[in-house]
Amino acid sequence: MNNVSQAAQIINNGGVVAFPTETVYGLGADATNDLAVQQIYTLKGRPSFNPLIIHVANLDTALQYGIFNQSAMTLAHRFWPGPLTLVVPLRQQGIISKHVTAGLNTIAIRCPSHPVTLELLRLCHHPVAAPSANRSGYVSPTKYEHVKDEFGDGVFILPGDQSSVGLESTIIDCCADTICMLRPGTITQHDIEACLGVTVSEKTTVEVINAPGQLKSHYAPKHPMRLNVHEVQMSEALLCFGECKLHANHMLNLSPDGNLDEAAANLFDYMRALDKVASVKGIAVTPIPNIGIGVAINERLARAAARD
Ligand code: TXA
Ligand code: MG
């Protein structure tokens, strides 16, 4: 049996598996199995009010679980498989575990593009509920080793490459007539607006009562982060972008060429790496242009720097 079949068998038998996707590694279980889904919350130390995304291999499967309006259909046709999650009304109570939806009457659905993830999903009998495969509140994992660091041998990890996108999926709420962006990602607000031909509103963390997982502090390294710096303090590590004149004993450049896609792919890996250095007391980050995927990078950095 190959790794993917083994992972699918574990999920079909009610177990939990970590697996690669193009965004970040996920920690997955059968979305229809209460006990299996509960294990995810326990392993992550995740608050039970924070709902999970279900992952499906194609749109037809998604339509069995969610009610797609015209906007949701258009977005799914345009961006799936890929790094986009759609929040839509739940089609029927009682099939998907209430722990997945945290009791809401809406559901977040994503069809990922990573070939290994898709193969896994095709072999699973039900949708796979999966948050990012990190302990709740810590930085999301983009490499096999990151997941290993988080869970050791406690979880079966399906091996894979480094996540090519490196940031979690864009989340779009399609439940009402007004389309809302709940989480920015590599598919930008502009991409969504260009696809639908309408204005997309952004919900702030406070407004997002239907996404209680959007807590302010998230993705946080153990060490404090300072953003948009123009100088580095003693015992701070430096995370920089593009041409950089600053210097620190421990420094990593997200993209020396100033490429935002490359910076996104490196972000969580480099945050984890600098956070691990014993002598480092904080992480200073130089400004990153707030355009395109830079918006999502800056949103993750702002959360990482928030301490409440
Ligand atoms: O790229 C991704 O989306 C990754 C990979 C593994 O697919 N998953 C991921 O899951 O980032 P997680 O649990 O770390 O983030 C899911 C977010 C949470 O902020 C949660 O609150 C929100 O989705 N969410 C889930 N169901 C929702 C719903 N019904 N309404 C609004 N927000 C929801
Ligand atoms: Mg997460």
Side-chain angles (χ1 to χ4, degrees), residues 205-238:
T205 48
V206 181
E207 283 168 321
V208 183
I209 37 152
N210 62 341
Q214 308 287 356
L215 303 171
K216 199 168 168 204
S217 177
H218 211 83
Y219 319 101
K222 294 187 180 70
H223 292 119
M225 297 189 75
R226 264 188 335 118
L227 307 184
N228 300 313
V229 305
H230 295 284
E231 35 57 61
V232 193
Q233 291 168 2
M234 284 257 291
S235 71
E236 266 184 339
L238 177 65

PDB file of all heavy atoms in Angstrom, residues 205-238:
ATOM      1  N   THR A 205     -11.983  41.823  11.913  1.00  0.00           N
ATOM      2  CA  THR A 205     -12.016  40.717  12.880  1.00  0.00           C
ATOM      3  C   THR A 205     -13.186  40.859  13.837  1.00  0.00           C
ATOM      4  O   THR A 205     -13.772  39.874  14.247  1.00  0.00           O
ATOM      5  CB  THR A 205     -10.708  40.653  13.682  1.00  0.00           C
ATOM      6  OG1 THR A 205     -10.411  41.951  14.151  1.00  0.00           O
ATOM      7  CG2 THR A 205      -9.580  40.125  12.837  1.00  0.00           C
ATOM      8  N   VAL A 206     -13.521  42.100  14.190  1.00  0.00           N
ATOM      9  CA  VAL A 206     -14.616  42.299  15.140  1.00  0.00           C
ATOM     10  C   VAL A 206     -15.958  41.971  14.494  1.00  0.00           C
ATOM     11  O   VAL A 206     -16.827  41.350  15.103  1.00  0.00           O
ATOM     12  CB  VAL A 206     -14.623  43.760  15.653  1.00  0.00           C
ATOM     13  CG1 VAL A 206     -15.741  43.973  16.674  1.00  0.00           C
ATOM     14  CG2 VAL A 206     -13.282  44.105  16.270  1.00  0.00           C
ATOM     15  N   GLU A 207     -16.084  42.388  13.235  1.00  0.00           N
ATOM     16  CA  GLU A 207     -17.352  42.168  12.536  1.00  0.00           C
ATOM     17  C   GLU A 207     -17.616  40.692  12.245  1.00  0.00           C
ATOM     18  O   GLU A 207     -18.747  40.279  12.073  1.00  0.00           O
ATOM     19  CB  GLU A 207     -17.350  42.934  11.206  1.00  0.00           C
ATOM     20  CG  GLU A 207     -17.585  44.420  11.354  1.00  0.00           C
ATOM     21  CD  GLU A 207     -17.292  45.146  10.057  1.00  0.00           C
ATOM     22  OE1 GLU A 207     -16.315  44.774   9.384  1.00  0.00           O
ATOM     23  OE2 GLU A 207     -18.027  46.068   9.730  1.00  0.00           O
ATOM     24  N   VAL A 208     -16.544  39.919  12.139  1.00  0.00           N
ATOM     25  CA  VAL A 208     -16.680  38.550  11.692  1.00  0.00           C
ATOM     26  C   VAL A 208     -17.173  37.649  12.820  1.00  0.00           C
ATOM     27  O   VAL A 208     -16.456  36.806  13.315  1.00  0.00           O
ATOM     28  CB  VAL A 208     -15.344  38.011  11.124  1.00  0.00           C
ATOM     29  CG1 VAL A 208     -15.511  36.600  10.598  1.00  0.00           C
ATOM     30  CG2 VAL A 208     -14.853  38.889   9.996  1.00  0.00           C
ATOM     31  N   ILE A 209     -18.406  37.894  13.207  1.00  0.00           N
ATOM     32  CA  ILE A 209     -18.940  37.068  14.281  1.00  0.00           C
ATOM     33  C   ILE A 209     -19.173  35.635  13.799  1.00  0.00           C
ATOM     34  O   ILE A 209     -19.173  34.717  14.591  1.00  0.00           O
ATOM     35  CB  ILE A 209     -20.260  37.640  14.843  1.00  0.00           C
ATOM     36  CG1 ILE A 209     -21.064  38.224  13.688  1.00  0.00           C
ATOM     37  CG2 ILE A 209     -20.036  38.662  15.935  1.00  0.00           C
ATOM     38  CD1 ILE A 209     -22.531  38.216  13.898  1.00  0.00           C
ATOM     39  N   ASN A 210     -19.365  35.471  12.501  1.00  0.00           N
ATOM     40  CA  ASN A 210     -19.589  34.106  12.013  1.00  0.00           C
ATOM     41  C   ASN A 210     -18.278  33.407  11.686  1.00  0.00           C
ATOM     42  O   ASN A 210     -18.266  32.317  11.172  1.00  0.00           O
ATOM     43  CB  ASN A 210     -20.540  34.075  10.819  1.00  0.00           C
ATOM     44  CG  ASN A 210     -19.990  34.827   9.641  1.00  0.00           C
ATOM     45  OD1 ASN A 210     -19.098  35.637   9.800  1.00  0.00           O
ATOM     46  ND2 ASN A 210     -20.520  34.555   8.466  1.00  0.00           N
ATOM     47  N   ALA A 211     -17.150  34.029  11.956  1.00  0.00           N
ATOM     48  CA  ALA A 211     -15.851  33.358  11.835  1.00  0.00           C
ATOM     49  C   ALA A 211     -15.057  33.614  13.100  1.00  0.00           C
ATOM     50  O   ALA A 211     -14.077  34.335  13.107  1.00  0.00           O
ATOM     51  CB  ALA A 211     -15.085  33.858  10.628  1.00  0.00           C
ATOM     52  N   PRO A 212     -15.518  33.013  14.193  1.00  0.00           N
ATOM     53  CA  PRO A 212     -14.876  33.323  15.471  1.00  0.00           C
ATOM     54  C   PRO A 212     -13.402  32.919  15.489  1.00  0.00           C
ATOM     55  O   PRO A 212     -12.653  33.360  16.335  1.00  0.00           O
ATOM     56  CB  PRO A 212     -15.681  32.519  16.489  1.00  0.00           C
ATOM     57  CG  PRO A 212     -16.406  31.491  15.694  1.00  0.00           C
ATOM     58  CD  PRO A 212     -16.568  32.016  14.310  1.00  0.00           C
ATOM     59  N   GLY A 213     -13.001  32.108  14.526  1.00  0.00           N
ATOM     60  CA  GLY A 213     -11.595  31.705  14.465  1.00  0.00           C
ATOM     61  C   GLY A 213     -10.679  32.838  14.070  1.00  0.00           C
ATOM     62  O   GLY A 213      -9.467  32.730  14.180  1.00  0.00           O
ATOM     63  N   GLN A 214     -11.280  33.901  13.595  1.00  0.00           N
ATOM     64  CA  GLN A 214     -10.450  35.026  13.161  1.00  0.00           C
ATOM     65  C   GLN A 214     -10.011  35.834  14.383  1.00  0.00           C
ATOM     66  O   GLN A 214     -10.136  37.043  14.418  1.00  0.00           O
ATOM     67  CB  GLN A 214     -11.223  35.910  12.169  1.00  0.00           C
ATOM     68  CG  GLN A 214     -11.833  35.145  11.013  1.00  0.00           C
ATOM     69  CD  GLN A 214     -10.796  34.680  10.001  1.00  0.00           C
ATOM     70  OE1 GLN A 214      -9.627  34.977  10.111  1.00  0.00           O
ATOM     71  NE2 GLN A 214     -11.213  33.927   9.007  1.00  0.00           N
ATOM     72  N   LEU A 215      -9.507  35.145  15.391  1.00  0.00           N
ATOM     73  CA  LEU A 215      -9.010  35.829  16.573  1.00  0.00           C
ATOM     74  C   LEU A 215      -7.835  36.701  16.155  1.00  0.00           C
ATOM     75  O   LEU A 215      -7.120  36.387  15.223  1.00  0.00           O
ATOM     76  CB  LEU A 215      -8.540  34.803  17.616  1.00  0.00           C
ATOM     77  CG  LEU A 215      -9.580  33.781  18.056  1.00  0.00           C
ATOM     78  CD1 LEU A 215      -8.939  32.710  18.919  1.00  0.00           C
ATOM     79  CD2 LEU A 215     -10.701  34.459  18.806  1.00  0.00           C
ATOM     80  N   LYS A 216      -7.636  37.781  16.888  1.00  0.00           N
ATOM     81  CA  LYS A 216      -6.610  38.737  16.482  1.00  0.00           C
ATOM     82  C   LYS A 216      -5.215  38.099  16.508  1.00  0.00           C
ATOM     83  O   LYS A 216      -4.466  38.154  15.548  1.00  0.00           O
ATOM     84  CB  LYS A 216      -6.663  39.955  17.398  1.00  0.00           C
ATOM     85  CG  LYS A 216      -5.980  41.156  16.807  1.00  0.00           C
ATOM     86  CD  LYS A 216      -6.302  42.391  17.608  1.00  0.00           C
ATOM     87  CE  LYS A 216      -5.386  43.531  17.202  1.00  0.00           C
ATOM     88  NZ  LYS A 216      -5.255  44.509  18.261  1.00  0.00           N
ATOM     89  N   SER A 217      -4.876  37.502  17.636  1.00  0.00           N
ATOM     90  CA  SER A 217      -3.551  36.896  17.721  1.00  0.00           C
ATOM     91  C   SER A 217      -3.595  35.488  17.151  1.00  0.00           C
ATOM     92  O   SER A 217      -4.358  34.653  17.585  1.00  0.00           O
ATOM     93  CB  SER A 217      -3.076  36.845  19.171  1.00  0.00           C
ATOM     94  OG  SER A 217      -1.831  36.199  19.215  1.00  0.00           O
ATOM     95  N   HIS A 218      -2.753  35.232  16.177  1.00  0.00           N
ATOM     96  CA  HIS A 218      -2.807  33.981  15.443  1.00  0.00           C
ATOM     97  C   HIS A 218      -1.463  33.845  14.764  1.00  0.00           C
ATOM     98  O   HIS A 218      -0.783  34.843  14.577  1.00  0.00           O
ATOM     99  CB  HIS A 218      -3.931  34.087  14.403  1.00  0.00           C
ATOM    100  CG  HIS A 218      -4.582  32.788  14.122  1.00  0.00           C
ATOM    101  ND1 HIS A 218      -5.566  32.277  14.910  1.00  0.00           N
ATOM    102  CD2 HIS A 218      -4.389  31.873  13.145  1.00  0.00           C
ATOM    103  CE1 HIS A 218      -5.960  31.118  14.406  1.00  0.00           C
ATOM    104  NE2 HIS A 218      -5.261  30.853  13.337  1.00  0.00           N
ATOM    105  N   TYR A 219      -1.092  32.686  14.365  1.00  0.00           N
ATOM    106  CA  TYR A 219       0.168  32.508  13.631  1.00  0.00           C
ATOM    107  C   TYR A 219       1.356  33.053  14.417  1.00  0.00           C
ATOM    108  O   TYR A 219       2.358  33.450  13.842  1.00  0.00           O
ATOM    109  CB  TYR A 219       0.153  33.244  12.272  1.00  0.00           C
ATOM    110  CG  TYR A 219      -1.133  33.153  11.506  1.00  0.00           C
ATOM    111  CD1 TYR A 219      -2.044  34.199  11.501  1.00  0.00           C
ATOM    112  CD2 TYR A 219      -1.436  32.003  10.777  1.00  0.00           C
ATOM    113  CE1 TYR A 219      -3.225  34.112  10.793  1.00  0.00           C
ATOM    114  CE2 TYR A 219      -2.613  31.914  10.064  1.00  0.00           C
ATOM    115  CZ  TYR A 219      -3.498  32.958  10.078  1.00  0.00           C
ATOM    116  OH  TYR A 219      -4.652  32.884   9.374  1.00  0.00           O
ATOM    117  N   ALA A 220       1.241  33.187  15.734  1.00  0.00           N
ATOM    118  CA  ALA A 220       2.248  33.925  16.480  1.00  0.00           C
ATOM    119  C   ALA A 220       3.459  33.088  16.835  1.00  0.00           C
ATOM    120  O   ALA A 220       3.328  32.023  17.438  1.00  0.00           O
ATOM    121  CB  ALA A 220       1.609  34.487  17.740  1.00  0.00           C
ATOM    122  N   PRO A 221       4.653  33.555  16.507  1.00  0.00           N
ATOM    123  CA  PRO A 221       5.854  32.905  16.990  1.00  0.00           C
ATOM    124  C   PRO A 221       5.964  33.108  18.500  1.00  0.00           C
ATOM    125  O   PRO A 221       5.238  33.936  19.068  1.00  0.00           O
ATOM    126  CB  PRO A 221       6.990  33.646  16.275  1.00  0.00           C
ATOM    127  CG  PRO A 221       6.364  34.576  15.331  1.00  0.00           C
ATOM    128  CD  PRO A 221       4.931  34.739  15.713  1.00  0.00           C
ATOM    129  N   LYS A 222       6.870  32.379  19.147  1.00  0.00           N
ATOM    130  CA  LYS A 222       7.025  32.523  20.595  1.00  0.00           C
ATOM    131  C   LYS A 222       7.606  33.887  20.920  1.00  0.00           C
ATOM    132  O   LYS A 222       7.300  34.491  21.925  1.00  0.00           O
ATOM    133  CB  LYS A 222       7.930  31.413  21.131  1.00  0.00           C
ATOM    134  CG  LYS A 222       7.289  30.032  20.973  1.00  0.00           C
ATOM    135  CD  LYS A 222       8.103  28.936  21.644  1.00  0.00           C
ATOM    136  CE  LYS A 222       7.439  27.581  21.459  1.00  0.00           C
ATOM    137  NZ  LYS A 222       7.506  27.105  20.057  1.00  0.00           N
ATOM    138  N   HIS A 223       8.475  34.385  20.039  1.00  0.00           N
ATOM    139  CA  HIS A 223       9.122  35.668  20.293  1.00  0.00           C
ATOM    140  C   HIS A 223       8.299  36.821  19.719  1.00  0.00           C
ATOM    141  O   HIS A 223       7.648  36.666  18.692  1.00  0.00           O
ATOM    142  CB  HIS A 223      10.520  35.674  19.670  1.00  0.00           C
ATOM    143  CG  HIS A 223      11.446  34.723  20.354  1.00  0.00           C
ATOM    144  ND1 HIS A 223      12.034  33.657  19.718  1.00  0.00           N
ATOM    145  CD2 HIS A 223      11.870  34.665  21.630  1.00  0.00           C
ATOM    146  CE1 HIS A 223      12.770  32.991  20.582  1.00  0.00           C
ATOM    147  NE2 HIS A 223      12.691  33.580  21.744  1.00  0.00           N
ATOM    148  N   PRO A 224       8.342  37.990  20.383  1.00  0.00           N
ATOM    149  CA  PRO A 224       7.590  39.133  19.865  1.00  0.00           C
ATOM    150  C   PRO A 224       8.100  39.580  18.503  1.00  0.00           C
ATOM    151  O   PRO A 224       9.288  39.461  18.208  1.00  0.00           O
ATOM    152  CB  PRO A 224       7.816  40.227  20.919  1.00  0.00           C
ATOM    153  CG  PRO A 224       8.956  39.777  21.741  1.00  0.00           C
ATOM    154  CD  PRO A 224       9.048  38.296  21.630  1.00  0.00           C
ATOM    155  N   MET A 225       7.187  40.064  17.676  1.00  0.00           N
ATOM    156  CA  MET A 225       7.576  40.546  16.349  1.00  0.00           C
ATOM    157  C   MET A 225       7.338  42.051  16.269  1.00  0.00           C
ATOM    158  O   MET A 225       6.345  42.553  16.787  1.00  0.00           O
ATOM    159  CB  MET A 225       6.754  39.844  15.274  1.00  0.00           C
ATOM    160  CG  MET A 225       7.000  38.354  15.241  1.00  0.00           C
ATOM    161  SD  MET A 225       6.230  37.568  13.824  1.00  0.00           S
ATOM    162  CE  MET A 225       7.311  38.048  12.514  1.00  0.00           C
ATOM    163  N   ARG A 226       8.249  42.742  15.621  1.00  0.00           N
ATOM    164  CA  ARG A 226       8.110  44.171  15.348  1.00  0.00           C
ATOM    165  C   ARG A 226       8.051  44.346  13.853  1.00  0.00           C
ATOM    166  O   ARG A 226       8.910  43.840  13.138  1.00  0.00           O
ATOM    167  CB  ARG A 226       9.321  44.925  15.900  1.00  0.00           C
ATOM    168  CG  ARG A 226       9.085  45.511  17.282  1.00  0.00           C
ATOM    169  CD  ARG A 226      10.207  46.418  17.745  1.00  0.00           C
ATOM    170  NE  ARG A 226      11.507  46.200  17.165  1.00  0.00           N
ATOM    171  CZ  ARG A 226      12.158  47.115  16.423  1.00  0.00           C
ATOM    172  NH1 ARG A 226      11.609  48.285  16.178  1.00  0.00           N
ATOM    173  NH2 ARG A 226      13.363  46.845  15.935  1.00  0.00           N
ATOM    174  N   LEU A 227       7.037  45.076  13.383  1.00  0.00           N
ATOM    175  CA  LEU A 227       6.833  45.179  11.933  1.00  0.00           C
ATOM    176  C   LEU A 227       7.289  46.524  11.391  1.00  0.00           C
ATOM    177  O   LEU A 227       7.421  47.492  12.134  1.00  0.00           O
ATOM    178  CB  LEU A 227       5.353  44.970  11.620  1.00  0.00           C
ATOM    179  CG  LEU A 227       4.715  43.701  12.190  1.00  0.00           C
ATOM    180  CD1 LEU A 227       3.273  43.577  11.707  1.00  0.00           C
ATOM    181  CD2 LEU A 227       5.514  42.460  11.820  1.00  0.00           C
ATOM    182  N   ASN A 228       7.503  46.554  10.069  1.00  0.00           N
ATOM    183  CA  ASN A 228       7.850  47.791   9.352  1.00  0.00           C
ATOM    184  C   ASN A 228       9.051  48.503   9.959  1.00  0.00           C
ATOM    185  O   ASN A 228       9.070  49.721  10.078  1.00  0.00           O
ATOM    186  CB  ASN A 228       6.640  48.739   9.323  1.00  0.00           C
ATOM    187  CG  ASN A 228       5.460  48.080   8.626  1.00  0.00           C
ATOM    188  OD1 ASN A 228       5.615  47.494   7.553  1.00  0.00           O
ATOM    189  ND2 ASN A 228       4.297  48.143   9.244  1.00  0.00           N
ATOM    190  N   VAL A 229      10.048  47.742  10.368  1.00  0.00           N
ATOM    191  CA  VAL A 229      11.197  48.346  11.052  1.00  0.00           C
ATOM    192  C   VAL A 229      12.152  48.993  10.053  1.00  0.00           C
ATOM    193  O   VAL A 229      12.226  48.600   8.879  1.00  0.00           O
ATOM    194  CB  VAL A 229      11.978  47.306  11.887  1.00  0.00           C
ATOM    195  CG1 VAL A 229      11.064  46.591  12.870  1.00  0.00           C
ATOM    196  CG2 VAL A 229      12.691  46.309  10.987  1.00  0.00           C
ATOM    197  N   HIS A 230      12.871  49.990  10.567  1.00  0.00           N
ATOM    198  CA  HIS A 230      13.951  50.597   9.787  1.00  0.00           C
ATOM    199  C   HIS A 230      15.273  50.495  10.531  1.00  0.00           C
ATOM    200  O   HIS A 230      16.287  50.980  10.085  1.00  0.00           O
ATOM    201  CB  HIS A 230      13.599  52.042   9.436  1.00  0.00           C
ATOM    202  CG  HIS A 230      12.404  52.129   8.524  1.00  0.00           C
ATOM    203  ND1 HIS A 230      12.469  51.840   7.182  1.00  0.00           N
ATOM    204  CD2 HIS A 230      11.092  52.396   8.791  1.00  0.00           C
ATOM    205  CE1 HIS A 230      11.265  51.961   6.644  1.00  0.00           C
ATOM    206  NE2 HIS A 230      10.412  52.281   7.600  1.00  0.00           N
ATOM    207  N   GLU A 231      15.227  49.887  11.729  1.00  0.00           N
ATOM    208  CA  GLU A 231      16.470  49.547  12.439  1.00  0.00           C
ATOM    209  C   GLU A 231      16.205  48.252  13.227  1.00  0.00           C
ATOM    210  O   GLU A 231      15.061  47.902  13.483  1.00  0.00           O
ATOM    211  CB  GLU A 231      16.966  50.664  13.360  1.00  0.00           C
ATOM    212  CG  GLU A 231      15.920  51.527  14.087  1.00  0.00           C
ATOM    213  CD  GLU A 231      14.927  50.790  14.964  1.00  0.00           C
ATOM    214  OE1 GLU A 231      15.362  50.124  15.930  1.00  0.00           O
ATOM    215  OE2 GLU A 231      13.712  50.878  14.699  1.00  0.00           O
ATOM    216  N   VAL A 232      17.304  47.569  13.551  1.00  0.00           N
ATOM    217  CA  VAL A 232      17.183  46.316  14.304  1.00  0.00           C
ATOM    218  C   VAL A 232      17.781  46.510  15.684  1.00  0.00           C
ATOM    219  O   VAL A 232      18.833  47.145  15.828  1.00  0.00           O
ATOM    220  CB  VAL A 232      17.952  45.165  13.607  1.00  0.00           C
ATOM    221  CG1 VAL A 232      17.572  43.819  14.207  1.00  0.00           C
ATOM    222  CG2 VAL A 232      17.701  45.178  12.126  1.00  0.00           C
ATOM    223  N   GLN A 233      17.108  45.975  16.696  1.00  0.00           N
ATOM    224  CA  GLN A 233      17.627  46.095  18.052  1.00  0.00           C
ATOM    225  C   GLN A 233      18.519  44.913  18.399  1.00  0.00           C
ATOM    226  O   GLN A 233      18.451  43.866  17.754  1.00  0.00           O
ATOM    227  CB  GLN A 233      16.456  46.194  19.046  1.00  0.00           C
ATOM    228  CG  GLN A 233      15.708  47.506  18.901  1.00  0.00           C
ATOM    229  CD  GLN A 233      14.388  47.535  19.655  1.00  0.00           C
ATOM    230  OE1 GLN A 233      14.023  46.579  20.328  1.00  0.00           O
ATOM    231  NE2 GLN A 233      13.676  48.643  19.517  1.00  0.00           N
ATOM    232  N   MET A 234      19.327  45.098  19.440  1.00  0.00           N
ATOM    233  CA  MET A 234      20.206  44.026  19.922  1.00  0.00           C
ATOM    234  C   MET A 234      19.361  42.778  20.215  1.00  0.00           C
ATOM    235  O   MET A 234      18.272  42.905  20.738  1.00  0.00           O
ATOM    236  CB  MET A 234      20.859  44.456  21.243  1.00  0.00           C
ATOM    237  CG  MET A 234      21.982  45.456  21.061  1.00  0.00           C
ATOM    238  SD  MET A 234      23.543  44.625  21.235  1.00  0.00           S
ATOM    239  CE  MET A 234      23.512  44.249  22.982  1.00  0.00           C
ATOM    240  N   SER A 235      19.877  41.657  19.909  1.00  0.00           N
ATOM    241  CA  SER A 235      19.265  40.346  20.158  1.00  0.00           C
ATOM    242  C   SER A 235      17.963  40.116  19.370  1.00  0.00           C
ATOM    243  O   SER A 235      17.238  39.165  19.623  1.00  0.00           O
ATOM    244  CB  SER A 235      19.062  40.071  21.647  1.00  0.00           C
ATOM    245  OG  SER A 235      18.036  40.872  22.150  1.00  0.00           O
ATOM    246  N   GLU A 236      17.663  41.000  18.421  1.00  0.00           N
ATOM    247  CA  GLU A 236      16.556  40.730  17.506  1.00  0.00           C
ATOM    248  C   GLU A 236      17.088  40.022  16.260  1.00  0.00           C
ATOM    249  O   GLU A 236      18.182  40.342  15.782  1.00  0.00           O
ATOM    250  CB  GLU A 236      15.891  42.036  17.050  1.00  0.00           C
ATOM    251  CG  GLU A 236      14.696  42.452  17.885  1.00  0.00           C
ATOM    252  CD  GLU A 236      14.015  43.710  17.329  1.00  0.00           C
ATOM    253  OE1 GLU A 236      14.641  44.472  16.571  1.00  0.00           O
ATOM    254  OE2 GLU A 236      12.855  43.916  17.665  1.00  0.00           O
ATOM    255  N   ALA A 237      16.305  39.097  15.741  1.00  0.00           N
ATOM    256  CA  ALA A 237      16.596  38.526  14.425  1.00  0.00           C
ATOM    257  C   ALA A 237      15.919  39.420  13.386  1.00  0.00           C
ATOM    258  O   ALA A 237      14.987  40.163  13.716  1.00  0.00           O
ATOM    259  CB  ALA A 237      16.052  37.113  14.338  1.00  0.00           C
ATOM    260  N   LEU A 238      16.364  39.303  12.149  1.00  0.00           N
ATOM    261  CA  LEU A 238      15.816  40.178  11.098  1.00  0.00           C
ATOM    262  C   LEU A 238      15.183  39.341   9.985  1.00  0.00           C
ATOM    263  O   LEU A 238      15.789  38.406   9.462  1.00  0.00           O
ATOM    264  CB  LEU A 238      16.937  41.051  10.522  1.00  0.00           C
ATOM    265  CG  LEU A 238      16.534  41.967   9.358  1.00  0.00           C
ATOM    266  CD1 LEU A 238      15.537  43.028   9.803  1.00  0.00           C
ATOM    267  CD2 LEU A 238      17.782  42.635   8.768  1.00  0.00           C
TER     268      LEU A 238
END
